[in-house]
Amino acid sequence: MRTTLLLLSVALALTLASCESNKSNEPSSDVPCICGTDEAILDGCAHPLCLAGETNPDNPDCVCGRMEFDEEN
Amino acid sequence: MLSLLRPLAILAMLSVGSLANAGTIRLTDGTRIPGHATGYDEATEVLSWMGDDGQARELHLDKLDKRSTYSVLKSQVPRDKGEGQLQLANFTRDIELFAHAVRHYGYAEKADPSLKPEIDKQMAILRSMAAKWGMERAREAADKGDLKTAEKWLEKIIVKLPDEPEAAEAKRLIDNYYAKVKAEKTKEIDAHQDEVLVKGLAKAKKAYDSMLAKNKKGLQSKSGSAPVREWEAAAKHGKKALTEIDKFEKKHPEKYTELLGGYRKTVNQQIIEIYMHLANHYSTRSSYNKALDQVNQALAIDPKSTEALSMRNRIQDASSRGLGWWN
């Protein structure tokens, strides 16, 4: 019984730890896109889309993604 | 009914497709043309662009502004081509998109580690250019009388590019702005006529001033462990200031609540700034765990701090992708 409880506790602790670590590794979405500003030139933009190498459609100055070409042409 | 649904579904699919490729291209004169790219001829350097106005355009790269040119060129270079990424990084650096260039140097090294000596050489040029560019921003701001922005750029140069000659110049110049910019923040408390408040917060004010002095010393000290010692001491003084504010509030509940809330905010903002200096210091030395510790301390003070959240995103990105910071 004790062993079962101990194993369960360890499993629970590991699950919680992994949830916590996944949470903290996710880039925060509360960060604004600063592409196009002087600050971004030196610091880089920390918006999650920019860090993922994608263009933020809400900021016309954002060039973090690759330009996509219409497949028909 | 079914005959109506089918064209609608096709229309919906088409609009999703065009949205996925939607973008904006900008010309050298600043004109923006929303639309999407339909092709690029590497030999002639001509981009085919279909505007949202239905007009097809053939645009030579010379006609595009630097950001749009970068966007086109980036689309032509696969991330796993070391030599291509190196050339792209050099181009991106030369048009002064420094942070983007750093990423491409990182990709180049990852794709072809044998390029490292050349990348190191080019990165040295980048750091020098970035420091000069940052110094220009500081001077521009100072010329406009915007001391706060000038001081911010000097701090950036010191913590991000500590080995450049401009960092030494920034350490000297910071004397001109630091006191004035920081004094602006405590103007209210310094001018207060309420004797109970002035006397009761004297220790808090002393601790706050010590924090500022240590922070400045950290910014001006030579590289190595000296800045870390000064900034850690500065943060401690900041916490002491907060403790003193709390003590005062306990003695005088309610009367000064709003005012003390403002003081706490000022002290906390300064402590967060110090943690950001420490995080930058560790990041430039690729000590990402230590850098994250500093960011987490800042977030414990203000979980919504944009600076701290941005810094955490950058550090996590650099460490998870194995990309270098700035050194």
Side-chain angles (χ1 to χ4, degrees), chain B residues 72-311:
Chain B
V72 174
L73 295 179
K74 184 160 66 166
S75 68
Q76 304 301 306
V77 186
R79 210 172 269 181
D80 59 355
K81 297 286 177 218
E83 191 61 49
Q85 284 293 332
L86 176 59
Q87 284 177 23
L88 180 61
N90 289 343
F91 168 82
T92 313
R93 173 198 63 198
D94 294 343
I95 58 167
E96 296 178 331
L97 292 177
F98 301 118
H100 280 289
V102 171
R103 280 177 89 84
H104 291 298
Y105 285 123
Y107 296 145
E109 191 179 334
K110 222 172 173 186
D112 184 352
S114 73
L115 292 172
K116 191 171 179 345
E118 180 60 19
I119 291 168
D120 287 346
K121 204 172 111 189
Q122 298 301 330
M123 271 294 290
I125 299 171
L126 178 141
R127 284 193 294 273
S128 170
M129 285 175 71
K132 287 182 176 69
W133 182 88
M135 193 55 89
E136 274 173 39
R137 303 287 81 72
R139 286 203 189 100
E140 270 174 17
D143 289 345
K144 286 180 197 161
D146 184 355
L147 299 188
K148 196 178 163 193
T149 305
E151 198 251 355
K152 182 191 80 182
W153 281 107
L154 294 178
E155 286 193 13
K156 265 188 203 301
I157 295 166
I158 293 168
V159 296
K160 278 188 100 81
L161 299 152
D163 300 325
E164 297 306 308
E166 285 74 14
E169 194 186 343
K171 284 175 187 181
R172 283 194 304 274
L173 285 174
I174 217 157
D175 273 329
N176 300 341
Y177 315 124
Y178 191 83
K180 283 180 202 163
V181 171
K182 302 297 178 190
E184 198 58 30
K185 291 185 176 175
T186 54
K187 211 164 64 179
E188 199 184 332
I189 189 170
D190 289 338
H192 222 286
Q193 299 298 314
D194 186 331
E195 256 186 57
V196 177
L197 188 80
V198 173
K199 212 174 164 186
L201 286 182
K203 280 185 185 170
K205 179 74 175 51
K206 198 179 164 195
Y208 181 79
D209 288 343
S210 301
M211 167 171 65
L212 294 185
K214 287 281 177 191
N215 179 40
K216 187 171 160 235
K217 220 171 167 188
L219 287 167
Q220 291 185 312
S221 54
K222 286 179 186 166
S223 11
S225 58
V228 173
R229 275 199 310 274
E230 299 297 343
W231 285 325
E232 281 175 350
K236 271 184 195 164
H237 285 295
K239 284 175 187 166
K240 164 107 171 122
L242 291 174
T243 310
E244 291 299 328
I245 294 173
D246 289 345
K247 275 188 202 168
F248 178 77
E249 192 168 30
K250 265 184 192 169
K251 279 186 197 165
H252 307 277
E254 291 178 17
K255 194 180 171 189
Y256 301 102
T257 308
E258 202 182 325
L259 196 70
L260 295 178
Y263 294 163
R264 274 197 199 92
K265 200 176 165 194
T266 303
V267 178
N268 278 331
Q269 274 172 351
Q270 186 57 57
I271 300 178
I272 288 174
E273 203 179 300
I274 289 161
Y275 284 135
M276 293 303 100
H277 291 340
L278 283 161
N280 255 311
H281 176 90
Y282 287 125
S283 297
T284 54
R285 285 150 185 84
S286 303
S287 302
Y288 296 124
N289 286 337
K290 282 185 179 178
L292 276 177
D293 281 347
Q294 303 303 322
V295 172
N296 288 335
Q297 294 202 61
L299 288 171
I301 294 169
D302 179 6
K304 287 184 179 173
S305 163
T306 307
E307 288 159 295
L309 289 170
S310 300
M311 179 66 91

Side-chain angles (χ1 to χ4, degrees), chain A residues 23-32 34-48 50-53 60-73, chain B residues 20-21 25-26 32 36-40 47 49 67 70-72 74-77 79 96 98-100 103 130 133 137 152-153 156 160 306 309-310 312-314 316-317 321 326:
Chain A
K23 193 181 144 197
S24 63
N25 280 337
E26 295 247 329
S28 169
S29 53
D30 290 336
V31 169
I34 58 165
C35 288
T37 65
D38 279 351
E39 215 149 354
I41 285 175
L42 212 59
D43 292 338
C45 180
H47 187 275
C50 297
L51 292 178
D61 286 326
C62 179
V63 286
C64 292
R66 295 168 67 83
M67 182 176 280
E68 287 182 26
F69 291 86
D70 195 333
E71 282 172 17
E72 286 173 359
N73 290 274
Chain B
N21 286 336
I25 206 90
R26 201 154 67 172
R32 288 174 194 267
H36 61 274
T38 54
Y40 175 67
L47 173 75
W49 185 261
R67 301 180 77 84
Y70 163 63
S71 193
V72 174
K74 184 160 66 166
S75 68
Q76 304 301 306
V77 186
R79 210 172 269 181
E96 296 178 331
F98 301 118
H100 280 289
R103 280 177 89 84
W133 182 88
R137 303 287 81 72
K152 182 191 80 182
W153 281 107
K156 265 188 203 301
K160 278 188 100 81
T306 307
L309 289 170
S310 300
R312 188 175 71 182
N313 281 4
R314 286 188 193 101
Q316 283 175 341
D317 183 64
R321 287 173 197 263
W326 275 73

